[in-house]
């Protein structure tokens, strides 16, 4: 996302997933304010991180603080069926709290998982994943472990790098990796330019996925039930009854 008021994301529900919001640390001074139906509110500033597990249901808003553009990434993590109806939960870290490490011209900000011996404080037992923000100097090489059998992708933010296919990938592209037996990592190489990207991997649930609007469930029937529960303020959506955020009125 790259947004400033009067744009934003006014009141909307979620069920069955976790949103991971990361405000990019070197992309200006824009901030994102959030507020929800279970009493949470706050501000995400450059470099800050938020894991919001919607679980069985939450209604929230995300709106830039003002007309200064806020630039960041939001990832939706599908929860396994046995955790889709868990209670909502937040995990937040300020930029100064995120673990960082450097090695051989490569800097890592560890959002989830581990890199260069630095391990994130974020808990991901419900849906195990790794999420690392890498910055590579020119002519540097990264070897990063990815657990065997996990799905993995990179999203490029700046510069150019070779992700193992013998050709450089420019900014604002998604690279997907194979996960065949015996494969347990990725190798990234820069040449004359630096590169910046996020590397995200996760253990597959091996379950059906049905996504409709803000709901991520396993079946079409569960999606219909989520809409009915939200509209009726029941079965996990009791907190939405009569609730409206204050920050949504900054959008139009």
């Amino acid at each position: 996302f790259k947004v400033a008021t009067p744009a934003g994301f006014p009141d909307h529900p979620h069920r069955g997933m976790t949103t991971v919001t990361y405000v990019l640390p070197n992309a200006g001074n824009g901030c994102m304010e959030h507020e929800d139906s279970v009493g949470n509110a706050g501000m995400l500033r450059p470099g800050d991180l938020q894991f919001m597990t919607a679980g069985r249901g939450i209604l929230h808003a995300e709106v830039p603080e003002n007309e200064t553009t806020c630039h960041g990434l939001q990832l939706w993590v599908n929860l396994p069926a046995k955790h889709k109806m868990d209670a909502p939960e937040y995990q937040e870290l300020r930029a100064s709290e995120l673990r960082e490490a450097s090695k051989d011209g490569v800097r890592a900000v560890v959002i989830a998982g581990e890199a260069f011996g630095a391990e994130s404080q974020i808990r991901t037992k419900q849906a195990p994943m790794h999420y690392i923000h890498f910055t590579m100097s020119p002519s540097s090489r990264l070897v990063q472990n990815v657990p065997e059998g996990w799905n993995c992708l990179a999203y490029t933010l700046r510069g150019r790098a070779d992700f193992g296919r013998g050709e450089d990938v420019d900014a604002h592209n998604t690279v997907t990796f194979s996960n065949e037996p015996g494969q347990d990592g990725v190798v990234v190489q820069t040449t004359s330019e630096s590169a910046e990207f996020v590397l995200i991997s996760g253990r597959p649930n091996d379950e059906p996925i049905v996504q409709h609007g803000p709901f991520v469930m396993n079946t079409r029937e569960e999606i219909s039930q989520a809409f009915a529960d939200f509209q009726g303020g029941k079965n996990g959506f009791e907190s939405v009854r009569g609730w409206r955020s204050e920050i949504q009125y900054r959008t139009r």
Side-chain angles (χ1 to χ4, degrees):
F1 59 86
K2 194 172 186 179
V3 62
T5 55
F9 310 97
D11 298 0
H12 58 282
H14 286 297
R15 172 180 279 181
M17 37 80 82
T18 293
T19 61
V20 182
T21 305
Y22 178 49
V23 181
L24 292 172
N26 301 312
N29 298 315
C31 302
M32 184 69 73
E33 190 170 0
H34 64 94
E35 186 180 349
D36 72 33
S37 59
V38 296
N40 298 293
M43 188 78 69
L44 296 177
R45 295 178 168 80
D48 289 353
L49 170 69
Q50 179 193 85
F51 272 62
M52 186 197 78
T53 297
R56 56 182 175 248
I58 202 167
L59 180 64
H60 78 151
E62 303 152 294
V63 178
E65 181 184 27
N66 50 40
E67 294 180 355
T68 302
T69 299
C70 181
H71 190 191
L73 304 173
Q74 186 173 94
L75 174 73
W76 286 18
V77 179
N78 177 43
L79 292 173
K82 65 182 179 181
H83 291 301
K84 286 187 177 295
M85 296 299 284
D86 285 359
E89 180 187 18
Y90 274 81
Q91 299 181 78
E92 290 189 353
L93 293 175
R94 298 303 172 198
S96 60
E97 297 174 312
L98 286 171
R99 303 276 168 79
E100 300 183 20
S102 297
K103 181 181 180 182
D104 300 331
V106 182
R107 175 175 173 265
V109 178
V110 186
I111 294 168
E114 181 270 338
F116 304 150
E119 186 172 353
S120 172
Q121 309 95 306
I122 293 293
R123 304 179 306 277
T124 63
K125 289 184 178 179
Q126 293 171 321
M129 63 172 295
H130 293 172
Y131 187 155
I132 318 292
H133 180 188
F134 285 110
T135 303
M136 299 182 65
S137 301
S139 302
S140 59
R141 185 172 186 263
L142 165 68
V143 179
Q144 174 63 25
N145 177 67
V146 175
E148 184 175 347
W150 283 25
N151 293 328
C152 183
L153 66 87
Y155 179 72
T156 58
L157 296 166
R158 182 178 56 82
R160 296 163 60 93
D162 179 357
F163 289 85
R165 299 179 181 178
E167 58 184 20
D168 282 350
V169 178
D170 295 326
H172 310 303
N173 284 286
T174 300
V175 180
T176 57
F177 299 89
S178 58
N179 62 351
E180 300 297 327
Q183 296 180 336
D184 61 359
V186 300
V187 178
V188 186
Q189 178 76 50
T190 57
T191 52
S192 60
E193 294 187 35
S194 60
E196 183 179 357
F197 57 93
V198 292
L199 186 70
I200 301 169
S201 58
R203 187 179 69 191
N205 289 337
D206 294 327
E207 297 174 348
I209 302 174
V210 180
Q211 178 264 329
H212 190 108
F215 304 133
V216 183
M217 303 301 289
N218 297 111
T219 67
R220 181 61 57 186
E221 291 73 21
E222 289 172 343
I223 291 289
S224 298
Q225 186 63 54
F227 275 102
D229 290 344
F230 170 62
Q231 291 165 354
K234 59 183 181 180
N235 295 332
F237 278 113
E238 288 81 2
S239 67
V240 312
R241 297 173 185 168
W243 184 84
R244 298 291 183 274
S245 73
E246 294 293 332
I247 62 176
Q248 72 166 332
Y249 299 107
R250 295 205 300 266
T251 66
R252 65 171 184 264

